[in-house]
Amino acid sequence: MDIKGQAALVTGGASGLGEATARELARLGAKVAVLDVNVALAEKVAADIGGVACQCDITNTDSVLAALAKATAVHGPARILMNIAGIGTAKRVVGRDGAPAPLEDFSRVINVNLIGSYNISRLFAAECVKLSPLEDGERGVMMFTASVAAFDGQVGQQAYSASKGGLVGMTLPMARDLAQHGIRVCTVAPGLFATPLMKELPEAVQASLAASIPFPSRLGKPEEFAQLACHIVTNGHLNGEVIRLDGALRMAPR
Ligand SMILES: NC(=O)c1ccc[n+]([C@@H]2O[C@H](COP(=O)([O-])OP(=O)(O)OC[C@H]3O[C@@H](n4cnc5c(N)ncnc54)[C@H](O)[C@@H]3O)[C@@H](O)[C@H]2O)c1
């Protein structure tokens, strides 16, 4: 799909990988809606790229519907959905004090990363199937953001890895479901990227993380993630696939 002129929705677009993707989509001529719980940051990014900010909690259906309605009113119906919003946590199953991990911590991460991504995707898809197909029969494309933790999760990463593994598992059946409507579905599994969260770590920790990446031995740049996200949109034969973007990193147990 040619990105130019299309309306695109970017969840988590206020920060990090989502922000970089929103900026790259806009640079390539898309009309971008920045969907985020952090509306102040979303407004900043949207203002910068001539897009629209939509307050959105992907776990809340009313909130998603309101965001989709606002984005559609400003830009027209979207054919591109970039699911990038996500949260992390680290908790051992049994803590050092012998107590079991709180179930709420596990549920919260699954709820945002997996159920939230599914929630907005189903609502987006229901609108997208109504659009007329483009030249090659394509109606839309959506991307999920997993993580290498879906495959090599570290100590304490049960919730995060399970949530991202859920996205990996969902990719092919979602692509198969939506194939009849001409909507493609792909997932990117990033390694270690230099986003605000990572930049808060002490430099020595950042350096040691970077050193664990075979090549290039540096953190990924958010722009590199954004490039792949946009390539997924433009390459019409990419579908039902999960792509690792990690410099050949395989995470160690800790
Ligand atoms: N940075 C990395 O190294 C890395 C590696 C692998 C995977 N990822 C994944 O990439 C995605 C982006 O990560 P990032 O590092 O850019 O993080 P980030 O914290 O910079 O950005 C995430 C954004 O998602 C938003 N968000 C959180 N919960 C939301 C909700 N319920 N509804 C709407 N928006 C919500 C936040 O407000 C924030 O703006 C996440 O899904 C993360 O798990 C990141």
Side-chain angles (χ1 to χ4, degrees), residues 12 14-17 36-38 56-59 84-87 112 145-147 160 164 190-193 195-196 198:
S15 173
L17 303 183
D36 208 291
V37 275
N38 189 334
C56 177
D57 177 352
I58 55 171
T59 67
I84 309 178
I87 57 172
V112 174
T145 306
S147 162
Y160 188 70
K164 298 302 190 179
L192 298 169
F193 277 71
T195 58
M198 202 67 88

Side-chain angles (χ1 to χ4, degrees), residues 22-104:
R23 289 183 184 281
E24 182 65 1
L25 281 165
R27 192 184 70 79
L28 295 170
K31 298 175 280 185
V32 180
V34 179
L35 277 59
D36 208 291
V37 275
N38 189 334
V39 74
L41 267 188
E43 267 161 10
K44 227 169 124 223
V45 174
D48 251 22
I49 61 174
V52 60
C54 304
Q55 177 152 33
C56 177
D57 177 352
I58 55 171
T59 67
N60 181 307
T61 298
D62 288 341
S63 169
V64 173
L65 287 173
L68 295 186
K70 181 176 179 187
T72 307
V74 181
H75 290 155
R79 291 187 188 271
I80 301 167
L81 170 64
M82 298 292 184
N83 279 296
I84 309 178
I87 57 172
T89 182
K91 197 126 283 176
R92 288 174 187 251
V93 189
V94 179
R96 287 187 206 287
D97 57 359
L103 188 56
E104 309 79 64

Side-chain angles (χ1 to χ4, degrees), residues 37-253:
V37 275
N38 189 334
V39 74
L41 267 188
E43 267 161 10
K44 227 169 124 223
V45 174
D48 251 22
I49 61 174
V52 60
C54 304
Q55 177 152 33
C56 177
D57 177 352
I58 55 171
T59 67
N60 181 307
T61 298
D62 288 341
S63 169
V64 173
L65 287 173
L68 295 186
K70 181 176 179 187
T72 307
V74 181
H75 290 155
R79 291 187 188 271
I80 301 167
L81 170 64
M82 298 292 184
N83 279 296
I84 309 178
I87 57 172
T89 182
K91 197 126 283 176
R92 288 174 187 251
V93 189
V94 179
R96 287 187 206 287
D97 57 359
L103 188 56
E104 309 79 64
D105 288 0
F106 188 87
S107 308
R108 190 170 48 88
V109 175
I110 299 287
N111 195 35
V112 174
N113 294 359
L114 179 57
I115 299 178
S117 298
Y118 180 75
N119 191 31
I120 187 165
S121 299
R122 75 190 175 97
L123 297 167
F124 164 81
E127 291 306 311
C128 205
V129 298
K130 297 180 198 158
L131 304 179
S132 47
L134 301 171
E135 259 174 25
D136 46 7
E138 193 171 28
R139 282 194 174 77
V141 54
M142 65 171 103
M143 184 196 78
F144 292 111
T145 306
S147 162
V148 294
F151 310 103
D152 16 280
Q154 298 188 291
V155 163
Q157 281 197 309
Q158 291 84 25
Y160 188 70
S161 294
S163 70
K164 298 302 190 179
L167 294 173
V168 167
M170 202 159 78
T171 304
L172 183 62
M174 182 90 89
R176 286 175 162 169
D177 262 28
L178 296 174
Q180 60 181 314
H181 301 292
I183 300 171
R184 294 183 293 112
V185 183
C186 282
T187 293
V188 176
L192 298 169
F193 277 71
T195 58
L197 205 74
M198 202 67 88
K199 284 184 196 154
E200 277 168 23
L201 296 173
E203 276 194 15
V205 177
Q206 286 190 46
S208 105
L209 287 171
S212 69
I213 303 172
F215 185 80
S217 292
R218 58 164 174 78
L219 299 179
K221 300 174 189 166
E223 300 76 35
E224 291 169 322
F225 175 89
Q227 278 171 14
L228 179 56
C230 290
H231 182 73
I232 287 171
V233 178
T234 54
N235 191 325
H237 212 59
L238 262 180
N239 196 11
E241 181 58 314
V242 178
I243 306 165
R244 289 183 73 126
L245 185 65
D246 63 4
L249 171 69
R250 297 296 178 268
M251 301 284 275

